[in-house]
Amino acid sequence: MLGRATLWRQGSVIAQAEAIAASLFDEASSSLKRAIVITHDCDLSNDKEAKLEVMVGDVVDKKDKQYARARNIRRLHLAFNTSGGAQQFLELQITPKQTISKQFLAGRAKPDSAWVLPDDEKRALKQWLAARYARPAFPNAFEAHLRKTVSKKQTVEDQLGKALEKISAHLIGVFFDLGENRAAELTNGTPYDLKVTVVYDASEGGQPARLAAEEGVCEIRGVFKAAYGDPALATEIALETCEAVADTFFPLSDLRKVDQWRAQYISLRQDPPEPFLAFGELPA
């Protein structure tokens, strides 16, 4: 077992020789692959768990902002610091995780010191892994309204996804507030009162991020008005507010009242496109 003194951490890269020996990938593809530990730090030192989880990622030339910081639920780009000073980039996709025995690594290998995951990238990895299992489930009636066809076989959520895709490089997240109807199935023409918050990256994006978010907000307002009409007369979704907010002004107290709507399910799906499973629905 690894024990509490282990050097292994979530985000550690397994040295190539050990990854090949553990059959995580073969030698022929080793220059294009890296295996990363995703088991939580606390579980790595827990002797009651005999195995640890790993994911194998593809080495890519650069970090695409659309896949950074857990923006995309299915794909993540991470930047590693290397001993030579340059960064190396790895793409992870939500594919079946692999497990290897802790005993295999104990005393046999150390984390690859040539690939070190910085703290901010490790936070992105944690958020990405957690988002897979912590997606909010909006009411089915609300989801049905979002899937309303509005033009040329496009639904409202299609149009929202396209509007947000344009500004995704600056986005931290899009949050829906349904108020007291957060879990209610409304019928008989009773609309959901909705507040939308588009949180942008002010820390790194600055003014361009703010301007992009404000343009996105204008387009979102237009999509809702065209689809559901004037909020005072709406029978499906009444958009009360839609605002662009800097991440530096989005407090935790607000975060507790809202649910994140992950537009990337629609706008950034994989190629070829995967079947979309909407929130709140189970596979047939």
Side-chain angles (χ1 to χ4, degrees):
M1 291 300 177
L2 298 177
R4 293 192 173 278
T6 182
L7 297 176
W8 291 98
R9 293 289 184 272
Q10 187 179 52
S12 293
V13 173
I14 301 172
Q16 294 297 79
E18 280 72 36
I20 295 169
S23 300
L24 296 175
F25 48 77
D26 57 35
E27 188 168 0
S29 62
S30 61
S31 63
L32 303 175
K33 304 286 185 181
R34 289 293 185 280
I36 180 173
V37 174
I38 60 170
T39 296
H40 191 276
D41 291 351
C42 297
D43 297 328
L44 286 170
S45 59
N46 188 337
D47 291 342
K48 294 181 180 179
E49 298 185 25
K51 295 186 176 181
L52 55 81
E53 291 184 315
V54 302
M55 295 185 77
V56 174
D58 295 317
V59 177
V60 292
D61 295 334
K62 62 180 181 180
K63 185 169 73 171
D64 188 326
K65 286 186 176 181
Q66 292 187 339
Y67 303 127
R69 296 192 174 189
R71 289 189 175 98
N72 187 287
I73 196 73
R74 292 189 174 88
R75 190 178 301 184
L76 175 68
H77 280 191
L78 293 172
F80 291 78
N81 293 334
T82 67
S83 53
Q87 286 189 313
Q88 293 281 355
F89 308 102
L90 194 67
E91 177 179 287
L92 297 179
Q93 297 195 38
I94 290 294
T95 52
K97 304 177 183 68
Q98 301 185 54
T99 60
I100 61 174
S101 165
K102 288 182 179 177
Q103 193 62 41
F104 177 84
L105 292 182
R108 172 172 180 165
K110 295 180 180 179
D112 189 342
S113 60
W115 284 59
V116 178
L117 194 63
D119 288 344
D120 57 340
E121 293 291 279
K122 185 172 179 177
R123 279 195 294 274
L125 174 63
K126 290 175 182 290
Q127 292 168 357
W128 185 68
L129 292 170
R132 183 68 172 175
Y133 301 101
R135 289 172 284 175
F138 292 102
N140 285 336
F142 178 75
E143 289 285 351
H145 293 324
L146 284 182
R147 292 197 294 274
K148 176 181 179 180
T149 300
V150 286
S151 67
K152 296 180 180 179
K153 299 182 180 180
Q154 280 193 332
T155 66
V156 175
E157 61 182 7
D158 287 336
Q159 293 187 344
L160 293 177
K162 289 184 179 298
L164 293 169
E165 186 176 9
K166 298 174 186 174
I167 60 172
S168 61
H170 300 293
L171 274 183
I172 295 294
V174 180
F175 299 88
F176 283 4
D177 180 1
L178 294 178
E180 62 182 10
N181 294 319
R182 196 174 188 177
E185 298 292 346
L186 301 182
T187 57
N188 300 324
T190 304
Y192 285 94
D193 295 326
L194 174 65
K195 297 176 182 176
V196 177
T197 304
V198 176
V199 181
Y200 62 91
D201 185 353
S203 303
E204 294 186 4
Q207 187 180 37
R210 178 177 62 80
L211 294 175
E214 289 175 350
E215 289 180 7
V217 161
C218 289
E219 189 167 347
I220 290 170
R221 289 172 181 159
V223 169
F224 275 98
K225 188 169 184 179
Y228 308 114
D230 189 290
L233 303 174
T235 59
E236 296 162 308
I237 297 176
L239 183 65
E240 290 190 349
T241 61
C242 181
E243 299 177 335
V245 177
D247 57 344
T248 50
F249 289 92
F250 192 60
L252 284 174
S253 57
D254 284 356
L255 187 59
R256 295 174 62 185
K257 302 174 186 175
V258 299
D259 294 301
Q260 186 170 8
W261 187 71
R262 289 191 169 272
Q264 56 265 44
Y265 274 97
I266 303 156
S267 60
L268 299 176
R269 60 181 72 168
Q270 292 181 329
D271 293 323
E274 295 181 342
F276 171 59
L277 181 63
F279 294 130
E281 290 189 350
L282 296 175

